[in-house]
Amino acid sequence: MILLDGKVAAEAVKEKLKAQVAELTAKGHRTPKLAAILVGNNGASETYVASKVKNCAETGFESLLIRLDENVPESTLLQTIEQLNNDESVDGILVQLPLPKHISEQKVIATIHPEKDVDGFHPINAGKLVQGLPTFIPATPYGILLLLEHYHVQTKGKHAVIVGRSNIVGRPMSILLSSNIPMGNCTVTIAHSHTQNLTDICLQADILVAALGKPEFVTANMVKQGAIVIDVGITRVEDATAKKGFRIKGDVAFNEVAPKTAAITPVPGGVGLMTIAGLLSNTLQAYLNNKKA
Ligand SMILES: NC(=O)c1ccc[n+]([C@@H]2O[C@H](COP(=O)([O-])OP(=O)(O)OC[C@H]3O[C@@H](n4cnc5c(N)ncnc54)[C@H](OP(=O)(O)O)[C@@H]3O)[C@@H](O)[C@H]2O)c1
């Protein structure tokens, strides 16, 4: 069994990006800049945003963190996005999800200029993805492709089963793995909460992507011998014996599933780190697309 180590693969991607940024700045160009907006103080969101800011610094990117109060009016958030849209020094904008209930995520995503939408959630970018046009690939599926590429996983002709159909993970993952691209050309089945005989479907998977947000849902009896398992899930599970009072669990029961697999991602230390690598790759692409860079 090969451990698909997100730390190792993300470092490799970041080293490449860092070298590109150093070359650009040595030629007198400005540094790429990512603006992140955090609304409220949800613990997990705080951690994700802090990690994104830290990774920007490590890779030579500039970052700007805008914090807004939990009760901020939706109109203020939209105005803040518009300001960033019009700020020529900002290449990429991300609004950390989830947002408080009084704010429409759909409106927020649609307000980010598609050319700065480094999370790849804007309907224009999602449409381009479906049509196989150049676009920003949502960071998590992009990170998974980078991980598969790093470990030279052969995807062509394989049957990929994706559990979860969200707009940010499952659905774009299904489009990418079924596309005619180097890390694609799979035959794809996408499963969701209404899928019947899920165990039988998962047992057919050469590549199984678990993205449903249910800790340790995928058990050994659902996995074919020699499968490649990608665990996207991140759930905080209360644990009084843990320092922080919780542990991070994936969607796969790692200890029982890993021995059956050819390769598997750990949680933590897998897809989460690759998501940041995907985000930084998109930010550099946004910068390069920006003619005034
Ligand atoms: N590693 C990372 O960087 C990263 C990034 C994003 C998300 N995540 C994690 O990935 C997980 C999924 O995130 P998400 O945003 O995609 O979640 P989401 O929007 O809640 O979507 C969950 C999907 O799973 C399906 N599902 C739920 N229960 C199921 C079941 N029993 N059987 C089959 N399908 C089921 C749902 O089906 P329906 O559509 O029918 O409801 C839905 O399509 C979460 O743990 C999240 O924290 C990790």
Side-chain angles (χ1 to χ4, degrees):
M1 183 272 291
I2 297 169
L3 191 71
L4 302 173
D5 189 330
K7 193 158 192 243
V8 172
E11 278 309 318
V13 173
K14 279 163 55 187
E15 279 309 313
K16 268 193 212 160
L17 295 173
K18 197 173 166 178
Q20 272 178 280
V21 173
E23 201 183 317
L24 286 158
T25 49
K27 286 183 186 158
H29 296 285
R30 64 174 176 80
T31 50
K33 184 168 169 182
L34 175 69
I37 303 178
L38 176 60
V39 182
N41 40 25
N42 170 291
S45 294
E46 290 267 1
T47 310
Y48 296 146
V49 170
S51 177
K52 287 167 186 174
V53 167
K54 179 172 160 268
N55 276 274
C56 275
E58 285 171 4
T59 318
F61 288 39
E62 201 180 328
S63 65
L64 167 68
L65 173 57
I66 299 174
R67 286 173 168 276
L68 299 174
D69 187 80
E70 176 85 20
N71 298 314
V72 67
E74 184 185 83
S75 57
T76 306
L77 173 56
L78 299 181
Q79 279 163 19
T80 306
I81 296 170
E82 287 294 3
Q83 280 164 11
L84 295 171
N85 282 342
N86 295 325
D87 182 340
E88 285 178 2
S89 76
V90 170
D91 301 293
I93 302 169
L94 77 85
V95 179
Q96 187 64 44
L97 303 178
L99 290 167
K101 286 207 171 62
H102 67 281
I103 298 176
S104 156
E105 281 188 7
Q106 225 178 337
K107 258 194 211 170
V108 166
I109 289 167
T111 303
I112 297 171
H113 195 292
E115 288 171 15
K116 297 193 179 192
D117 168 41
V118 286
D119 260 336
F121 297 160
H122 193 287
I124 288 184
N125 289 326
K128 286 183 175 174
L129 187 78
V130 172
Q131 296 203 346
L133 299 170
T135 185
F136 297 116
I137 301 170
T140 300
Y142 191 7
I144 295 171
L145 294 191
L146 292 169
L147 184 69
L148 296 174
E149 188 180 40
H150 181 86
Y151 283 97
H152 307 291
V153 172
Q154 297 298 317
T155 56
K156 194 166 149 185
K158 299 270 171 69
H159 182 194
V161 173
I162 299 159
V163 188
R165 58 175 167 186
S166 73
N167 286 339
I168 64 169
V169 188
R171 197 179 301 279
M173 197 69 237
S174 71
I175 293 161
L176 289 160
L177 285 177
S178 62
S179 297
N180 187 1
I181 55 173
M183 288 295 125
N185 286 310
C186 290
T187 303
V188 173
T189 301
I190 183 157
H192 45 75
S193 67
H194 301 280
T195 297
Q196 294 184 0
N197 306 321
L198 183 63
T199 296
D200 291 343
I201 291 169
C202 289
L203 278 169
Q204 293 170 27
D206 301 312
I207 299 174
L208 179 62
V209 181
L212 67 159
K214 299 237 152 74
E216 303 194 326
F217 180 92
V218 175
T219 44
N221 64 316
M222 298 169 80
V223 177
K224 180 165 84 173
Q225 191 74 39
I228 290 158
V229 175
I230 308 293
D231 188 352
V232 184
I234 297 183
T235 307
R236 288 182 171 198
V237 178
E238 277 184 37
D239 183 343
T241 66
K243 247 196 222 161
K244 293 180 179 166
F246 65 85
R247 284 190 200 282
I248 300 291
K249 294 275 182 197
D251 286 344
V252 177
F254 184 90
N255 289 340
E256 61 176 88
V257 170
K260 282 186 94 173
T261 65
I264 185 167
T265 60
V267 176
V271 174
L273 299 171
M274 295 312 295
T275 294
I276 295 178
L279 174 74
L280 294 173
S281 302
N282 276 342
T283 305
L284 182 62
Q285 191 56 54
Y287 166 95
L288 295 172
N289 295 346
N290 180 352
K291 298 205 173 20
K292 295 185 184 75

